Amino acid sequence: MTMSLNELMAHAGGAGPLLRAHKYTREDARPEYQPQQIIPVIPQEFSLWERETRSWREGVALFDQTHHMSGLFLEGPDARRLLSELAINDFTSSRPGSARQIVCVNDEGDLIGDGIVFHLEENLFSAYGAGFVQNWIMFHVETGAYNVEARYDVKAPVYPNGFAYTRPDCRYQIQGPLAGALIEKLNGGPLEDVKFFHMTEMTIGGYRCRALRHGMAGAPGLEVWGDYEHRENIRDAIIEAGREFGLELVGGMAYLIGAIESGWYQAALPAIYTSDSMSAYRDWLPANLGEGMVRLSGSLELPQLEGYYRTPFDLDYGKLIRFDHEFVGRDALQRRKDEPALRKVTLQWNMDDAADLFREMLTPGGRNVRFLHLPAMCDKMDKHYDRLTLGGREVGNSAYTAYTANERSILSIALVDDSVAIGDEVVIDWGEAGGGYDTNVVARTETVGIRATVSPAPYARVTRETYRES
């Protein structure tokens, strides 16, 4: 029987050692440790990752999102009430054919996670994202007084081992300045005028699909989904129609870069590991889901785990809060809304310091430094926190890092306090604090100072000027 997250934390000697540990040793090859929800092995490149990166800025890109996002379907007369009572944003005004972001916090007002909710029919919703929000919702379905039926739409397993994997839908994203022309060609004519984060229908290769209008990294486009059994036909029809527009298939390496260009902060540790009010949830939560497999990495060492938690105000989600309805964490957010908050920025790495880091990596017998992965350092289940200083004073944390060919820069997303201004030069303490338990220990590295220029988030001008949030 799979152990709970609370049991796994006790086995590790606490939340801190568990989160600082790696999770893949032979000694842990037992069912209670086997990850069930990790991004499957997908092609890392279809052509070249740098070429694929430029496609959503210069032409048209196709992202296959069929396999890697967790989903949860909610159906019943209380589905809308359930979402409203868990989300900082109100779902009572939601209507079929629309979508909106969902942001959930704990009783103390700290972020659990966020995702996207699709309002499919009057009493039918689906929620997609990293999985933290979906698990939180399912917990309340099973323990609360709601007339709701819920079912997971589980992402593809890493090691199928003959498992006949299936899902309700396939899901593709078409993005870029030529996306509109491709979409019109696929549909055999213009689509109706669709508002941002609203849905429509279109035909692809003879198959009827639903579509959501949104953007990524400043690029216009649609997310489309259709019957899973027709996934290859739908995909092939998009590829064939896209040849005229130079369509690029985007692999796993380039896919992660779009998040940093569009300023999405995906690195916040879910605030579930320490509060007594979350103990019942940890008892309910299976240890082999993402919450038990995620790793806390980076140079930032704090005495209390709560120091890594973030509020909606820190991530610029404060504007989504609606205090006109009851929801988990409402009173705490009311008390904390005037507290100093961090703010999201992009850090552009100093070219010489980046080159010095590569020089260390190429020096036989060189220093024990944390290596830099290209194009992205967000290719694992890590929640990354690096210490960030200005004039020797700690001013926040740097999170995940990526190289973007569109900007010819190495960029990091960061959260900083109000003393930091655009144009300031800060220092990222690039390194790994290490930690863990038993044989699951991550080694500590030396710390390297990387100078970086504070820039807006989103970083790309086209993104800041054209991308709209829900």
Side-chain angles (χ1 to χ4, degrees):
M1 181 177 179
T2 301
M3 65 169 63
S4 71
L5 180 60
N6 260 344
E7 291 171 325
L8 182 59
M9 286 167 49
H11 174 76
L18 173 65
L19 289 167
R20 282 289 183 182
H22 67 74
K23 314 294 195 301
Y24 301 102
T25 62
R26 290 182 181 272
E27 291 79 359
D28 283 342
R30 302 190 296 272
E32 61 266 30
Y33 289 93
Q34 295 308 297
Q36 299 299 310
Q37 298 199 40
I38 297 179
I39 296 176
V41 176
I42 60 174
Q44 292 296 288
E45 296 176 299
F46 286 96
S47 57
L48 295 169
W49 59 260
E50 58 270 33
R51 176 176 171 179
E52 294 166 16
T53 302
R54 292 194 296 270
S55 65
W56 62 74
R57 186 73 63 84
E58 300 174 358
V60 60
L62 176 63
F63 303 84
D64 186 346
Q65 299 178 322
T66 300
H67 305 290
H68 75 281
M69 289 191 298
S70 300
L72 181 68
F73 285 91
L74 301 167
E75 186 170 11
D78 289 343
R80 188 197 307 265
R81 179 170 68 88
L82 168 66
L83 292 169
S84 291
E85 292 179 359
L86 296 181
I88 66 172
N89 44 325
D90 190 6
F91 278 81
T92 58
S93 61
S94 178
R95 295 292 179 266
S98 65
R100 62 182 62 190
Q101 190 170 13
I102 181 171
V103 179
C104 297
V105 301
N106 64 14
D107 284 330
E108 287 74 37
D110 292 313
L111 188 74
I112 292 175
D114 70 318
I116 301 297
V117 171
F118 299 82
H119 195 162
L120 303 173
E121 299 174 12
E122 180 59 33
N123 293 321
L124 177 63
F125 298 80
S126 64
Y128 282 86
F132 301 135
V133 164
Q134 290 91 325
N135 295 334
W136 179 241
I137 294 172
M138 181 63 90
F139 168 69
H140 286 85
V141 169
E142 295 189 1
T143 62
Y146 297 99
N147 185 1
V148 174
E149 293 184 2
R151 66 185 188 278
Y152 279 116
D153 177 17
V154 181
K155 67 175 69 172
V158 182
Y159 307 111
N161 294 326
F163 175 62
Y165 173 74
T166 187
R167 304 189 78 167
D169 303 305
C170 60
R171 192 174 296 266
Y172 302 101
Q173 190 177 149
I174 305 170
Q175 300 287 344
L178 300 181
L182 171 57
I183 290 165
E184 185 170 317
K185 179 179 178 180
L186 286 166
N187 192 54
L191 282 176
E192 60 182 278
D193 187 26
V194 185
K195 294 180 180 179
F196 182 80
F197 252 50
H198 281 68
M199 290 180 268
T200 185
E201 292 189 354
M202 64 180 296
T203 300
I204 300 179
Y207 298 97
R208 203 63 180 161
C209 299
R210 302 187 78 168
L212 173 73
R213 184 191 163 221
H214 68 94
M216 185 210 70
L222 291 178
E223 181 177 311
V224 299
W225 63 99
D227 290 341
Y228 184 80
E229 62 181 302
H230 302 312
R231 64 192 180 281
E232 293 182 1
N233 293 331
I234 294 171
R235 178 178 178 271
D236 290 347
I238 297 172
I239 293 173
E240 182 59 35
R243 295 185 192 279
E244 174 187 349
F245 307 100
L247 179 141
E248 290 280 353
L249 280 70
V250 178
M253 296 172 76
Y255 177 79
L256 297 165
I257 298 169
I260 198 166
E261 288 189 1
S262 58
W264 181 45
Y265 189 96
Q266 61 183 29
L269 186 72
I272 66 169
Y273 299 96
T274 53
S275 171
D276 290 342
S277 68
M278 299 297 286
S279 183
Y281 180 52
R282 295 192 298 269
D283 283 335
W284 174 90
L285 191 65
N288 60 355
L289 298 186
E291 293 85 347
M293 299 306 301
V294 72
R295 186 165 76 89
L296 178 62
S297 64
S299 66
L300 183 61
E301 288 188 277
L302 298 175
Q304 301 294 329
L305 200 62
E306 291 88 347
Y308 299 100
Y309 295 164
R310 298 293 178 252
T311 72
F313 304 110
D314 294 326
L315 273 65
D316 197 30
Y317 291 157
K319 58 192 174 187
L320 299 179
I321 301 174
R322 297 293 180 267
F323 289 113
D324 56 0
H325 71 293
E326 293 296 327
F327 60 90
V328 175
R330 178 182 181 274
D331 292 343
L333 290 178
Q334 281 272 31
R335 293 193 302 269
R336 300 177 69 175
K337 62 183 175 63
D338 295 323
E339 293 179 359
L342 300 173
R343 80 178 193 283
K344 184 170 56 177
V345 298
T346 308
L347 306 179
Q348 182 186 31
W349 281 36
N350 177 277
M351 186 184 305
D352 292 332
D353 289 356
D356 286 343
L357 180 57
F358 279 109
R359 188 174 293 107
E360 286 287 353
M361 292 164 55
L362 296 171
T363 301
R367 296 168 59 192
N368 175 31
V369 299
R370 181 184 176 99
F371 287 3
L372 179 65
H373 302 177
L374 292 184
M377 289 292 291
C378 49
D379 54 350
K380 301 180 291 298
M381 288 190 70
D382 286 19
K383 298 301 178 186
H384 195 92
Y385 291 74
D386 277 329
R387 183 171 179 262
L388 194 63
T389 60
L390 175 62
R393 179 176 54 84
E394 192 166 311
V395 292
N397 73 276
S398 171
Y400 59 93
T401 297
Y403 172 83
T404 167
N406 290 323
E407 305 293 342
R408 291 276 181 159
S409 296
I410 297 176
L411 305 175
S412 296
I413 288 289
L415 297 177
V416 298
D417 64 33
D418 59 7
S419 70
V420 179
I422 299 298
D424 282 348
E425 185 177 78
V426 296
V427 176
I428 303 170
D429 284 354
W430 182 257
E432 174 56 59
Y437 65 100
D438 295 339
T439 58
N440 306 289
V441 175
V442 176
R444 179 184 293 270
T445 71
E446 297 181 42
T447 297
V448 175
I450 303 290
R451 290 169 293 172
T453 302
V454 179
S455 307
Y459 180 82
R461 179 183 58 80
V462 64
T463 306
R464 296 195 302 273
E465 294 180 356
T466 64
Y467 186 76
R468 292 176 51 196
E469 297 184 359
S470 61

